[in-house]
Amino acid sequence: MMKRVKTAVSFVLAMTVLLSAAASACGKESKSGTLKVGVRDDVMNLGYLNPTTGQYYGMEIDLARLLAEDLGYAEAEFVTVKPDTRKDMLLNGDVDCLIAAYSISETRLENFDFSPAYYSDYTRIMVEKTSMIGSIEELVGKKIGVLDGANTAPELAQKMTGMGLITAEDPKGTSLLKKGTYAELSQALEEGTADAVCMDGCIAIAYMNDDRVFLEDTIYQEDYGVATQKDSKLSKPVAESIQKMLDDGTIAKLIDKWD
């Protein structure tokens, strides 16, 4: 009888050791929870929602998945944000972070924490060839399309003011046409309701065609970072994870994949 009890105890102990080892070996099994990430659904190669499949794809989508995995989450949940809604959605806690072509700026740093920049781009001006506009100087007195909620408008005004082309008191007939989506900006350019459109280069390239050209002038550099709530528990882990992926070449590979 004692022998049987000892045998049973030995069996239980052996199984406990095996199960513990298996649990340790399968670290992914311990991951739980969802990282809710605010992403764009209208930016080709960065964050785009395929209306047919209902699937998101792009460099930022891949980055979000890798970030969630590295932070120990079971998965990343994607929530579409727009330029005019993303700030409030993060402030209200509707999303845990933003990976949404969201550039780091002094004004945004007042409200949010940012990871190191994972992508840098320049804001460009696109025109129709038939417009005969060849430089930023020729935009004086024209209507320029910009995305509502983006930093483009103030940066463009600052650029033109710095060049002495306009002043705050006298824009010399230069005006802005604000649209809610890049597709609407492209349409306004095609229809002629905008003489030019100004947007991030990596986004504008999706709307380039044989009838359009970029002006040589760039407006300003955009550095995209992952935004989190100010002083949140996520801020430091997110920043460290992004820095690690920059250091080990992971982000460079994602950029090469989607460029």
Side-chain angles (χ1 to χ4, degrees), residues 95-110:
V95 294
D96 300 316
C97 64
L98 292 175
I99 308 182
Y102 202 44
S103 58
I104 304 166
S105 68
E106 290 184 9
T107 54
R108 288 172 178 170
L109 284 168
E110 294 175 2

Side-chain angles (χ1 to χ4, degrees), residues 68-236:
E69 181 179 0
D70 191 51
L71 294 180
Y73 290 90
E75 61 179 354
E77 177 185 345
F78 303 119
V79 180
T80 296
V81 298
K82 301 296 183 184
D84 58 346
T85 65
R86 56 192 173 185
K87 175 182 176 180
D88 288 337
M89 289 183 73
L90 182 54
L91 285 173
N92 296 335
D94 298 321
V95 294
D96 300 316
C97 64
L98 292 175
I99 308 182
Y102 202 44
S103 58
I104 304 166
S105 68
E106 290 184 9
T107 54
R108 288 172 178 170
L109 284 168
E110 294 175 2
N111 297 304
F112 305 117
D113 290 326
F114 278 87
S115 73
Y118 58 80
Y119 189 84
S120 295
D121 193 18
Y122 286 91
T123 305
R124 307 289 302 275
I125 297 173
M126 185 164 57
V127 298
E128 295 281 338
K129 290 179 181 178
T130 54
S131 71
M132 304 301 289
I133 297 173
S135 68
I136 192 171
E137 287 85 356
E138 295 174 46
L139 291 179
V140 176
K142 305 295 186 182
K143 184 170 289 187
I144 307 167
V146 296
L147 191 69
D148 193 18
N151 280 338
T152 311
E155 293 290 349
L156 177 60
Q158 184 176 335
K159 175 82 172 184
M160 295 184 73
T161 300
M163 293 176 67
L165 301 177
I166 62 173
T167 65
E169 295 76 21
D170 183 13
K172 298 181 180 178
T174 311
S175 62
L176 296 176
L177 175 67
K178 294 185 178 182
K179 294 291 185 178
T181 68
Y182 295 110
E184 289 177 309
L185 284 178
S186 180
Q187 184 177 351
L189 184 62
E190 183 176 351
E191 294 174 348
T193 52
D195 299 298
V197 294
C198 186
M199 61 178 80
D200 296 358
C202 65
I203 298 170
I205 198 71
Y207 298 95
M208 176 58 70
N209 58 44
D210 292 339
D211 297 321
R212 297 174 175 180
V213 294
F214 285 124
L215 301 187
E216 290 187 6
D217 310 86
T218 57
I219 305 305
Y220 66 107
Q221 182 174 317
E222 292 269 23
D223 294 318
Y224 299 156
V226 182
T228 51
Q229 287 189 349
K230 197 75 173 175
D231 300 322
S232 71
K233 292 181 180 179
L234 264 182
S235 295
K236 185 178 179 181

Side-chain angles (χ1 to χ4, degrees), residues 21-43:
S24 298
C26 301
K28 290 185 178 179
E29 296 295 330
S30 63
K31 294 181 183 296
S32 62
T34 299
L35 181 67
K36 193 174 291 187
V37 186
V39 297
R40 299 298 297 272
D41 68 352
D42 59 347
V43 183

